[in-house]
């Protein structure tokens, strides 16, 4: 794969066969994929998807976990419903993550990624050790298949994320750095955050957004280059830290506007990429 290869994120639940064609049409060599509907997870469907990816010349760099019952409506809802932190669903979701890892393996992805949820900021919190143990279990499930695990940034501050990864002590765990999420959740300046977790980054979402204006609410996402991230500075810093992995555009809307925004983001990133690689 080329350094800083451009890519795009497909949402959880999307028909991957249709979307792979679209990814090719838009001119991307890589893709991160959400979990597809169950009909696309049979042996036959996986073979068909592998063939479609090969024909399109598109490489899957990550499969993103997603679970029934998750909602990103506002911060308290995310806290209650997202990832492996909520205790009530932890066991069944870990099992489901195993199925997702197998799917990732079967379609040739080197890793899975996850919004693990709101990890406690304080290590003395009694809920913290079980969260570490959960990450260890997830890392071992993926590790048994020779896959990595990437934790999506957003819900926790960078020092907490770094400590969490260190405490789990598994060498297949890294970070899928989404700079907009840090802004949307008000969890810290993303460019400063790279000082803490920059060396752990194995993937990134090129996404932009504005800070929240009310307690408990999320900020709002914008087209790339129109939010508060400072995408050129972000990508440049990541590059200077040694990152050469894919730059995966994420735009969490649907329809024609999504395609327009993705293509605009692609042009913006192509400029930044050309500048960095020719320097
Ligand atoms: Mg993201």
């Amino acid at each position: 794969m080329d350094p800083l290869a451009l890519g795009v994120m497909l949402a959880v639940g999307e028909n991957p066969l249709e979307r792979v064609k679209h990814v090719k049409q838009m001119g991307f060599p890589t893709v991160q994929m959400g979990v597809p509907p169950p009909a696309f997870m049979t042996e036959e469907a996986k073979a068909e998807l592998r063939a479609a990816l090969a024909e399109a010349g598109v490489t899957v760099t990550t499969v993103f976990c997603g679970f029934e019952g998750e909602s990103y409506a506002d911060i308290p809802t995310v806290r209650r419903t997202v990832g492996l932190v909520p205790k009530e669903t932890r066991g069944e979701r870990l099992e489901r993550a195993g199925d997702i890892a197998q799917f990732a393996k079967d379609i040739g992805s080197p890793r899975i990624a996850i919004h693990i949820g709101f990890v406690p900021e304080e290590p003395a919190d009694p809920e913290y050790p079980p969260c570490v143990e959960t990450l260890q279990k997830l890392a071992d499930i993926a590790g048994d298949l020779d896959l990595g695990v990437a934790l999506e940034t957003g819900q926790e501050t960078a020092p907490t994320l770094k400590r969490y990864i260190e405490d789990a002590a598994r060498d297949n765990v890294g970070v899928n750095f989404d700079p907009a999420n840090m802004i949307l959740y008000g969890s810290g300046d993303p460019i400063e955050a790279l000082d803490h977790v920059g060396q752990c980054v194995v993937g990134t979402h090129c996404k932009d957004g504005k800070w929240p204006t009310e307690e408990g609410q999320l900020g709002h996402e914008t087209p790339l280059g129109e939010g508060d991230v400072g995408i050129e500075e972000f990508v440049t810093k990541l590059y200077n830290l040694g990152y050469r992995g894919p730059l995966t555009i994420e735009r969490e809307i649907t329809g024609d506007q999504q395609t327009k925004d993705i293509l605009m983001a692609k042009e913006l990133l192509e400029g930044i990429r050309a500048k960095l690689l020719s320097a």
Side-chain angles (χ1 to χ4, degrees), residues 137-199:
K137 283 184 187 159
L138 180 67
D140 294 344
I141 288 168
D144 286 345
L145 295 167
D146 263 334
L147 301 178
V149 172
L151 300 180
E152 171 97 343
T153 55
Q155 283 106 22
E156 55 287 302
T157 61
T160 294
L161 182 59
K162 184 168 190 233
R163 186 179 56 227
Y164 185 45
I165 291 171
E166 283 172 356
D167 289 347
R170 294 292 190 274
D171 59 12
N172 63 333
V173 175
V175 170
N176 192 73
F177 201 106
D178 184 326
N181 280 352
M182 299 211 62
I183 289 175
L184 299 179
Y185 287 88
S187 46
D189 180 89
I191 293 174
E192 274 173 39
L194 286 178
D195 293 331
H196 298 275
V197 296
Q199 299 296 342

Side-chain angles (χ1 to χ4, degrees), residues 42-270:
T42 64
E43 293 306 319
E44 207 182 336
K46 283 186 283 196
E48 208 180 339
L49 180 55
R50 274 197 305 273
L53 287 161
E55 201 204 316
V58 173
T59 302
V60 180
T61 58
T62 296
V63 173
F64 244 85
C65 295
F67 304 106
E68 215 171 295
E70 289 184 320
S71 165
Y72 292 85
D74 52 35
I75 290 174
T77 308
V78 174
R79 202 175 274 285
R80 213 178 56 242
T81 67
V82 167
L84 299 177
V85 173
K87 271 187 282 191
E88 308 68 40
T89 47
R90 193 178 287 160
E92 68 198 59
R93 284 182 176 179
L94 259 177
E95 242 174 73
R96 173 75 179 143
D99 298 339
I100 296 167
Q102 187 63 55
F103 171 78
K105 179 75 181 175
D106 291 344
I107 63 160
S109 171
R111 74 178 60 86
I112 56 169
I114 187 168
H115 267 290
I116 205 147
F118 273 93
V119 175
E121 292 282 325
E122 293 303 325
D125 188 317
E127 293 306 321
Y128 182 68
C131 285
V132 172
E133 198 184 303
T134 301
L135 177 54
Q136 288 169 332
K137 283 184 187 159
L138 180 67
D140 294 344
I141 288 168
D144 286 345
L145 295 167
D146 263 334
L147 301 178
V149 172
L151 300 180
E152 171 97 343
T153 55
Q155 283 106 22
E156 55 287 302
T157 61
T160 294
L161 182 59
K162 184 168 190 233
R163 186 179 56 227
Y164 185 45
I165 291 171
E166 283 172 356
D167 289 347
R170 294 292 190 274
D171 59 12
N172 63 333
V173 175
V175 170
N176 192 73
F177 201 106
D178 184 326
N181 280 352
M182 299 211 62
I183 289 175
L184 299 179
Y185 287 88
S187 46
D189 180 89
I191 293 174
E192 274 173 39
L194 286 178
D195 293 331
H196 298 275
V197 296
Q199 299 296 342
C200 308
V201 177
V202 293
T204 184
H205 281 167
C206 294
K207 187 171 95 186
D208 217 335
K210 295 273 187 190
W211 293 97
T213 51
E214 272 174 77
E215 185 85 15
Q217 297 298 306
L218 290 156
H220 71 273
E221 192 196 341
T222 68
L224 197 69
E226 295 177 18
D228 294 329
V229 166
I231 195 69
E232 178 158 5
E233 199 189 329
F234 171 75
V235 173
T236 303
K237 184 160 174 178
L238 205 49
Y239 182 80
N240 289 336
L241 286 165
Y243 181 79
R244 299 293 182 272
L247 300 176
T248 305
I249 295 164
E250 182 176 40
R251 183 70 175 113
E252 301 194 73
I253 57 173
T254 55
D256 291 346
Q257 191 60 46
Q258 185 192 38
T259 303
K260 275 185 204 160
D261 288 355
I262 288 172
L263 291 174
M264 197 180 72
K266 181 168 175 269
E267 208 180 311
L268 178 63
L269 290 172
E270 277 166 348

